[in-house]
């Protein structure tokens, strides 16, 4: 093992989704360039991406699965805490046990809605490792040395009372965690004219509310047969076989599962239909206009802010969005290419220059200063 290590405490599941693990993998790839050893600590939850972490060549320490959310205590201080499937102290002690078995000069990155300051403070007392938190909710206290929130915000001080005074904060879209494929694709970004000839559908790796099938029921209609349609799902999508079957006999509809060329598909598309979450920033970075549907409550505030910039057209929460509404808004955009073009321009402007490297360098500096 290398003398310097970065540990990631992150999970994926049907309920959590896949975005947290995917962005941590992106960071892991960037830190690896500095010769830093990478270790992932993930719980064995249904719908996890543990196999993908190992496919990337990183060490994986698996924590045992616990109770289902149905069996978990209902009165929780943090509404997401049940996602751990164990109580928070157990999660800390199991995580510390992994750390103690792998002694090295190290720091610790947490990307988990279930974890807050009580977890972090106990962890720090036990291991004395620098803590870096990735968050985008700003809904709970953190005990950390560095915080990264890549989301758009209209409140520059929203972490003012949530983190220690000496915490170094990286906040805003300039710090979006983007895979190399998106950086490379932007060099070859194509000029869009607002005409919709190709549509990309992606609602995250797990799509827990089955928006893909809802959208596909619109796009299989003959009036859209002239449009090239890419349907993308993750391995953790419970409905992927039904979706694949529905795409099978449609010459213009192409099914993709757990792909590594999302940036290419985004650059080729004239319009996307998808959820909020981390994919929002990938689409905006490549200037891709989008009809969005919020598939989780934690997406709503961010999507509404992006909607106000004119970069997307937000349809609403998944429980309220019907196939009829999707069809109505899609037809409206197809009839108004200038509006689509304006969305693309607004999305592109929203992101600005990416400065994630300054966060990477700060973490590396922190690691080098660790005793």
């Amino acid at each position: 093992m290398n003398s310097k290590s970065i540990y990631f405490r992150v999970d994926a599941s049907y309920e959590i989704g896949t975005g947290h693990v995917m962005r941590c993998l992106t960071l892991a790839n960037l830190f690896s360039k500095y010769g830093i050893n990478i270790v992932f600590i993930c719980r064995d939850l249904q719908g996890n991406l543990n196999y993908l972490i190992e496919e990337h060549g990183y060490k994986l320490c698996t924590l045992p699965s616990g109770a289902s959310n149905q069996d978990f205590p209902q009165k929780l201080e943090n509404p997401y805490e049940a996602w751990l499937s164990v109580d928070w102290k157990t999660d800390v002690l199991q995580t510390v046990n992994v750390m103690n078995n792998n002694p090295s000069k190290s720091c610790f990155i947490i990307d988990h809605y279930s974890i807050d300051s009580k977890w972090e403070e106990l962890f720090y007392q036990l291991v004395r490792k620098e803590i870096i938190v990735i968050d985008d909710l700003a809904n709970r206290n953190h005990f950390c040395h560095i915080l990264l929130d890549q989301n758009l915000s209209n409140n520059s001080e929203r972490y003012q009372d949530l983190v220690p005074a000496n915490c170094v904060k990286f906040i805003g879209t300039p710090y979006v965690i983007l895979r190399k494929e998106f950086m490379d694709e932007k060099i070859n970004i194509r000029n869009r004219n607002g005409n919709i000839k190709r549509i990309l559908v992606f609602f995250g790796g797990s799509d827990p509310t089955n928006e893909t099938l809802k959208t596909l029921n619109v796009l299989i209609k003959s009036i859209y047969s002239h449009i090239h349609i890419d349907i993308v799902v993750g391995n953790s999508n419970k409905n992927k076989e039904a979706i694949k079957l529905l795409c099978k006999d449609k010459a213009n509809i192409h099914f993709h599962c757990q792909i590594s060329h999302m940036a290419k598909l985004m650059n080729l598309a004239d319009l996307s239909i998808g959820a909020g979450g981390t994919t929002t920033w990938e689409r905006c970075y490549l200037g891709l206009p989008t009809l969005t549907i919020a598939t989780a409550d934690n997406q709503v505030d961010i999507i509404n802010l992006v909607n106000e910039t004119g970069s997307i057209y937000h349809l609403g929460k998944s429980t309220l969005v019907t196939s009829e509404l999707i069809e109505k808004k899609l037809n409206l955009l197809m009839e108004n290419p200038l509006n689509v073009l304006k969305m693309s321009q607004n999305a592109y402007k929203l992101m600005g220059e990416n400065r994630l490297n300054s966060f990477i360098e700060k973490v590396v500096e922190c690691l080098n200063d660790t005793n």
Side-chain angles (χ1 to χ4, degrees), residues 161-260:
D161 300 319
L162 298 180
V163 297
N166 62 347
C167 174
V168 180
K169 299 184 286 291
F170 295 86
I171 299 175
T173 53
Y175 304 104
V176 166
I177 302 168
L178 292 166
R179 299 193 298 275
K180 184 177 181 295
E181 64 171 297
F182 289 93
M183 302 289 192
D184 293 343
E185 201 64 37
K186 192 163 186 175
I187 298 173
N188 302 311
I189 197 78
R190 69 185 186 85
N191 292 321
R192 295 183 173 90
N193 58 16
N195 291 312
I196 299 174
K197 297 180 179 179
R198 186 161 181 159
I199 295 175
L200 169 66
V201 177
F202 178 59
F203 284 92
S206 59
D207 185 14
T209 59
N210 203 12
E211 301 307 301
T212 305
L213 202 55
K214 183 190 294 182
T215 303
L216 190 53
N217 283 329
V218 173
L219 298 177
I220 59 175
K221 294 184 177 183
S222 59
I223 60 171
Y224 303 113
S225 61
H226 64 290
I227 297 177
H228 181 114
I229 298 167
D230 292 299
I231 305 290
V232 181
V233 301
N235 272 330
S236 58
N237 189 313
K238 293 181 179 180
N239 302 291
K240 62 179 180 290
E241 293 304 322
I243 293 167
K244 182 178 181 180
L245 186 62
L246 198 55
C247 296
K248 185 177 179 181
D249 297 323
K250 305 294 186 295
N252 65 313
I253 300 179
H254 306 268
F255 176 84
H256 310 267
C257 184
Q258 202 64 46
I259 60 173
S260 59

Side-chain angles (χ1 to χ4, degrees), residues 62-132:
T62 306
L63 305 180
S65 59
S68 67
N69 279 4
Q70 290 79 8
D71 300 328
F72 215 80
Q74 295 303 306
K75 292 184 179 180
L76 297 171
E77 185 177 330
N78 177 353
Y80 297 100
E81 194 172 312
W83 287 1
L84 288 175
S85 84
V86 298
D87 68 89
W88 68 270
K89 286 185 179 178
T90 299
D91 196 87
V92 172
L93 295 176
Q94 290 177 340
T95 301
V96 168
N97 184 57
V98 170
M99 300 282 289
N100 289 339
N101 290 335
N102 297 276
S104 64
K105 189 174 183 179
S106 59
C107 62
F108 196 78
I109 297 180
I110 299 169
D111 188 349
H112 213 302
Y113 290 163
S114 303
I115 293 176
D116 56 23
S117 60
K118 63 180 184 291
W119 192 107
E120 294 150 358
E121 287 190 65
L122 178 58
F123 174 84
Y124 184 74
Q125 290 170 13
L126 295 173
V127 301
R128 295 291 171 179
K129 301 294 185 182
E130 301 288 288
I131 297 174
I132 297 98

